[in-house]
Amino acid sequence: MRYVDAVQDVRTRFAPSPTGFLHIGGARTALFNWAYARRHAGSLVLRIEDTDRERSTAESEAAVLEGLAWLGVDWDDGPYRQSERSELYAEAADRLLASGRAYRCACTREELEARKQATIAAGRKWIYDGRCRDRELGPDCGEHTVRLRVDDDEQLEWDDLVFGPSGQQGREVGDKIIRRSDGSVLYHLAVVVDDLEMSIRQVIRGVDHLPNTPFQIALYRALDAEPPRFAHVPLIVNEKGVKLSKRRDPVSVQQFREDGFLPEAVRNWLIRIGWSHGDQEIFSREEIVQLFDLESVGRSSGQADPAKLEALNRHYIVSIPAPELHRAARPFLAREAGYGDGDGPTASPELERLLDLLRERSVRLTEMAARARWFLLDEITVDEKAARKHLTPAALPILEVLRDRLESVSVSNWEDASLEEVFETVKTEQGDVSMGVLAQPVRVAVTGSAASPGIYETLAVLGRERTLERLGSAIERIRSGR
């Protein structure tokens, strides 16, 4: 086996298992690796750890890649798939056997379980007892596994880039299995071989992997290789400090996307869970690359606060350019317009202006699309509660006069100032009625609800033809007593 020499000081990797969606914990780990590599002008390798044949699927892999792309996490090398690299792992296991650093173990599962239970019953921690360590079993010993030989006094230590000095003695780790009886290798050997072959210099991963590190260091040494630098980042918990649960918490990047969050907001939110830079809360993609460091990653669990995500999403909805806002909102507008999963309504000056008017009112793109429904549909459904309050016989003469006055406004002159002039004229003619008495029946008539942007802006974006048509329908509704 030839291990590739490192060509860069910084070379990180993200190695997801394609067994479902992209979990926000994995997404944050990807972001940390990406940001660290980009800041130090290094490279990021994407490796798909798909050795779980029963649960790994092409659909899950596609979902992971799509989630990373949506977050803006790009990589320089890969994706590699462990399922396509089994020969490398077999070669490494054979090499360890040939050097005497690994040995065959003929202990059956039943025998191991019996000895384990006896050890636990005696009040001791179970670690493989080395029964086959010196038996020098050959390949003809029958069904067997392969174990790495770990000396009791070996110091399996490292200086973690987050947690500082860490490690265990060999006697606390034991001779673990690296190859199963069916010939397939275990995760520990595969990941070490991959990291060596891919010249990984920094392993940035979740703290749940920290207990795996001593044995993996033993594997690096057994393969005559220098281990990479390790950085174990804290787990993510919910706002109550409890570990995230798929049944209880939103944990999928795809779910946040479906719920109407912008990638800029989710990326900003995730990078801040467990990492900080002074009191700064808002980080552009460029600032993340410029400022991210492992020294500022905390050791305590990072809290995923939904309120912070919503505040960030509102910030980005307010601040992104109109064309970008339309592109992001388009799938949600499509659903509200009844297009299903189609492309949605095309951009127009009126639609872009409406989205601009809805920015301050919307926390999520789903809300923005729902508030734009009256513009997207040819026929609206009027909220009955709003109709009972505002589309009353008392409002009828006001609506009739207003519609007549609006009919005299040409298409070319259908803008805020002209509409305001009409409303002021009607207010005066109707005995100086309040703006609420005049505007609310109009708002319900043209949007179906009692909430919308300013009434002049609402009519301007809706257009002359649809405004007059909806006012006419509201007048007929009142006349007929519906």
Side-chain angles (χ1 to χ4, degrees):
M1 176 181 292
R2 181 181 66 86
Y3 295 125
V4 180
D5 291 334
V7 295
Q8 292 175 315
D9 288 335
V10 172
R11 186 166 167 85
T12 68
R13 47 81 158 173
F14 177 54
S17 298
T19 56
F21 49 77
L22 177 59
H23 191 285
I24 61 171
R28 187 193 61 165
T29 298
L31 275 168
F32 280 13
N33 276 279
W34 169 82
Y36 189 79
R38 293 290 172 266
R39 178 173 183 185
H40 296 282
S43 57
L44 171 64
V45 177
L46 178 62
R47 185 169 75 224
I48 307 298
E49 297 188 342
D50 57 350
T51 52
D52 187 338
R53 298 169 187 171
E54 293 183 1
R55 298 174 60 211
S56 297
T57 66
E59 293 77 14
S60 293
E61 180 181 325
V64 169
L65 299 185
E66 182 184 77
L68 292 174
W70 183 73
L71 283 173
V73 174
D74 55 347
W75 53 92
D76 306 286
D77 205 358
Y80 297 100
R81 296 173 184 84
Q82 283 189 338
S83 59
E84 300 169 356
R85 300 168 61 80
S86 56
E87 290 184 8
L88 287 171
Y89 311 143
E91 180 188 342
D94 289 341
R95 179 185 172 191
L96 290 169
L97 279 170
S99 68
R101 293 168 178 170
Y103 61 90
R104 296 176 181 87
C105 173
C107 298
T108 66
R109 287 187 179 183
E110 293 76 17
E111 291 170 345
L112 289 169
E113 184 62 26
R115 279 150 42 201
K116 176 181 177 181
Q117 293 305 322
T119 301
I120 293 173
R124 300 192 304 274
K125 178 183 176 182
W126 165 254
I127 294 173
Y128 179 67
D129 54 14
R131 181 75 58 91
C132 293
R133 176 183 255 251
D134 298 317
R135 293 178 65 187
E136 299 184 358
L137 298 173
D140 57 351
C141 67
E143 186 172 297
H144 65 274
T145 60
V146 174
R147 292 180 180 273
L148 185 73
R149 192 185 300 273
V150 179
D151 293 337
D152 284 352
D153 295 331
E154 187 172 0
Q155 300 298 314
L156 302 172
E157 300 172 338
W158 74 99
D159 187 11
D160 198 272
L161 295 173
V162 173
F163 282 87
S166 307
Q168 290 179 301
Q169 281 192 320
R171 62 171 49 87
E172 300 175 275
V173 175
D175 297 351
K176 295 183 183 295
I177 294 173
I178 59 172
R179 188 165 72 188
R180 302 179 183 89
S181 58
D182 65 2
S184 62
V185 304
L186 273 78
Y187 162 81
H188 293 294
L189 180 58
V191 74
V192 166
V193 169
D194 281 341
D195 284 344
L196 290 172
E197 286 284 332
M198 297 172 190
S199 298
I200 302 303
R201 306 303 300 150
Q202 294 83 18
V203 173
I204 304 170
R205 59 188 180 182
V207 72
D208 52 323
H209 283 284
L210 195 148
N212 297 331
T213 306
F215 184 65
Q216 289 173 7
I217 288 175
L219 273 166
Y220 285 110
R221 292 176 180 171
L223 290 167
D224 298 318
E226 186 71 23
R229 299 295 306 276
F230 290 97
H232 291 89
V233 299
L235 295 178
I236 300 178
V237 296
N238 65 19
E239 65 274 21
K240 297 179 181 178
V242 179
K243 185 178 178 181
L244 295 178
S245 164
K246 289 188 290 186
R247 293 184 298 273
R248 183 184 59 241
D249 306 296
V251 295
S252 160
V253 168
Q254 282 80 359
Q255 185 60 56
F256 286 111
R257 181 180 185 177
E258 289 296 307
D259 288 345
F261 291 99
L262 289 164
E264 295 87 347
V266 178
R267 181 173 61 234
N268 193 152
W269 182 61
L270 286 175
I271 201 74
R272 279 285 289 110
I273 299 178
W275 172 78
S276 63
H277 181 76
D279 295 328
Q280 186 172 342
E281 293 290 342
I282 307 296
F283 294 87
S284 68
R285 192 171 187 267
E286 293 72 25
E287 287 176 315
I288 291 171
V289 169
Q290 180 185 359
L291 299 173
F292 182 82
D293 59 8
L294 290 171
E295 290 80 3
S296 297
V297 173
R299 298 180 182 182
S300 301
S301 296
Q303 189 176 90
D305 186 348
K308 287 187 177 181
L309 175 57
E310 292 193 339
L312 285 167
N313 207 53
R314 183 166 192 169
H315 164 81
Y316 285 106
I317 283 178
V318 168
S319 60
I320 65 173
E324 291 182 28
L325 180 61
H326 174 259
R327 282 195 297 272
R330 198 169 178 182
F332 304 97
L333 297 171
R335 292 175 205 170
E336 290 292 340
Y339 294 7
D341 293 326
D343 289 336
T346 56
S348 67
E350 293 79 15
L351 179 55
E352 286 197 2
R353 186 183 182 199
L354 175 58
L355 297 183
D356 203 48
L357 292 169
L358 293 172
R359 287 176 188 262
E360 296 287 349
R361 299 167 173 262
S362 304
V363 173
R364 306 185 188 194
L365 295 176
T366 46
E367 295 175 350
M368 176 176 280
R371 290 190 170 112
R373 199 164 193 268
W374 55 269
F375 175 86
L376 303 170
L377 300 176
D378 291 330
E379 294 186 13
I380 60 171
T381 301
V382 177
D383 178 73
E384 289 301 321
K385 182 178 180 181
R388 286 193 299 271
K389 183 174 181 180
H390 299 290
L391 297 184
T392 63
L396 181 59
I398 298 175
L399 289 175
E400 289 175 330
V401 171
L402 182 68
R403 188 186 185 284
D404 287 343
R405 295 287 187 272
L406 289 173
E407 202 164 19
S408 66
V409 180
S410 66
V411 172
S412 61
N413 205 31
W414 192 267
E415 55 189 26
D416 297 11
S418 300
L419 297 172
E420 183 177 5
E421 186 177 331
V422 170
F423 271 72
E424 290 299 325
T425 299
V426 172
K427 278 176 59 182
T428 301
E429 291 177 353
Q430 296 297 312
D432 285 327
V433 296
S434 69
M435 191 59 186
V437 169
L438 177 57
Q440 282 302 87
V442 176
R443 181 172 279 111
V444 174
V446 300
T447 70
S449 76
S452 79
I455 194 63
Y456 311 133
E457 294 94 338
T458 297
L459 300 189
V461 298
L462 184 60
R464 180 179 185 277
E465 181 180 345
R466 291 206 288 173
T467 295
L468 295 176
E469 181 182 341
R470 292 183 185 184
L471 285 173
S473 296
I475 289 169
E476 287 302 315
R477 176 190 178 111
I478 297 172
R479 286 173 177 170
S480 64
R482 288 185 285 118

